[in-house]
Amino acid sequence: SETHNSPSEARMVEIADNFQRQYSHLFPERRPLLLSPENEKGVQKFVSTTLRPTAAEHPELYHWRGCAAFVSDFLSLKPLESPVNLPRQLFSPSMVLRNQSATCFEAATLLCSMLIGAHYEAYCVSGYASRELCECDQTHRECPPLDDGKKDMASKSQQNKYTLKPKKKLHSRFLLKQEMKEKEKEAALLLEQQKVIRVSELKLAGCDDWSL
């Protein structure tokens, strides 16, 4: 539930907090881990319990490409409060879908939940990237050539269901059988002629005993 933790979830939060304290003590020079942030209700949740396998009804979301395209097109990117520190809150995927906006962590959580629901073995990984990549800044990238739409119009005209279809070539089964019979007769006649020629050659050669 988004408003409270179950006993097992509360136990996981305690274990995560204990691990965070040990990690900070053993590695004081390293940054803390994102283990148990607060959700939209202010409830501290273990980060793995935020991943909810989500099975979609649309066939397009059964593949990882469709899931990635949905998250990219449906959500608007919300920048972090601090670009170098971990967020204090991590909204649930249901809240992200309602708001249609997400931070990079929340978008990754939603995408991972959809991929798990589509039977992929998906994980969320936290790391660092350039400012341009995090903010989707493409000002320094070369613009791809624009399509003038001529190809689209041509393809649409070809897909018109009212266009005349080419006539089918009709073949008579009776005529095909007759043609096969004629070929068989010609082959038998040719074989008989070859036998006659062979007999004549043997007679001219003076052979009394001959066989075909």
Side-chain angles (χ1 to χ4, degrees), residues 2-212:
E2 299 174 359
T3 57
H4 64 278
N5 283 324
S6 63
S8 58
E9 290 177 340
R11 177 59 178 164
M12 290 300 301
V13 172
E14 293 178 0
I15 295 174
D17 290 341
N18 184 35
F19 180 83
Q20 186 75 271
R21 288 191 295 269
Q22 296 182 28
Y23 180 84
S24 300
H25 177 72
L26 295 175
F27 307 101
E29 72 282 357
R30 296 185 181 180
R31 295 182 179 274
L33 304 175
L34 183 65
L35 295 180
S36 54
E38 295 181 355
N39 64 359
E40 63 273 12
K41 301 294 184 180
V43 180
Q44 192 177 7
K45 289 280 188 178
F46 180 54
V47 67
S48 296
T49 59
T50 310
L51 298 175
R52 300 289 183 179
T54 305
E57 299 179 357
H58 304 283
E60 297 83 1
L61 301 180
Y62 294 164
H63 194 268
W64 67 267
R65 291 183 184 274
C67 295
F70 172 79
V71 174
S72 175
D73 299 337
F74 185 75
L75 300 180
S76 59
L77 181 62
K78 182 173 60 176
L80 296 171
E81 295 180 359
S82 174
V84 295
N85 295 323
L86 296 174
R88 294 177 299 175
Q89 285 186 317
L90 183 67
F91 287 3
S92 62
S94 58
M95 178 60 70
V96 169
L97 291 174
R98 286 195 293 267
N99 294 338
Q100 298 185 13
S101 63
T103 63
C104 53
F105 288 91
E106 294 164 351
T109 302
L110 174 61
L111 177 59
C112 191
S113 299
M114 295 176 64
L115 292 175
I116 295 175
H119 306 291
Y120 284 95
E121 189 175 357
Y123 304 91
C124 286
V125 180
S126 173
Y128 294 91
S130 62
R131 182 187 62 82
E132 290 77 10
L133 180 62
C134 295
E135 297 181 357
C136 297
D137 186 359
Q138 301 182 3
T139 54
H140 297 289
R141 297 186 62 180
E142 184 179 356
C143 180
L146 299 178
D147 190 3
D148 54 2
K150 293 182 179 180
K151 294 182 179 180
D152 296 338
M153 295 297 294
S155 61
K156 289 181 180 179
S157 61
Q158 292 178 359
Q159 296 176 358
N160 189 356
K161 63 180 180 179
Y162 296 107
T163 55
L164 295 177
K165 297 181 180 180
K167 294 183 179 180
K168 295 182 179 180
K169 294 183 179 180
L170 303 178
H171 300 281
S172 174
R173 294 181 181 178
F174 175 76
L175 294 178
L176 291 175
K177 289 182 180 180
Q178 291 296 110
E179 186 178 353
M180 291 295 295
K181 289 181 180 180
E182 291 294 332
K183 290 182 179 180
E184 291 176 358
K185 288 182 180 180
E186 292 178 358
L189 181 60
L190 180 61
L191 182 61
E192 187 66 25
Q193 291 177 354
Q194 291 177 352
K195 287 183 179 181
V196 172
I197 294 173
R198 181 60 177 167
V199 170
S200 301
E201 291 177 351
L202 291 174
K203 286 182 178 180
L204 292 175
C207 296
D208 296 332
D209 297 331
W210 45 269
S211 60
L212 296 176

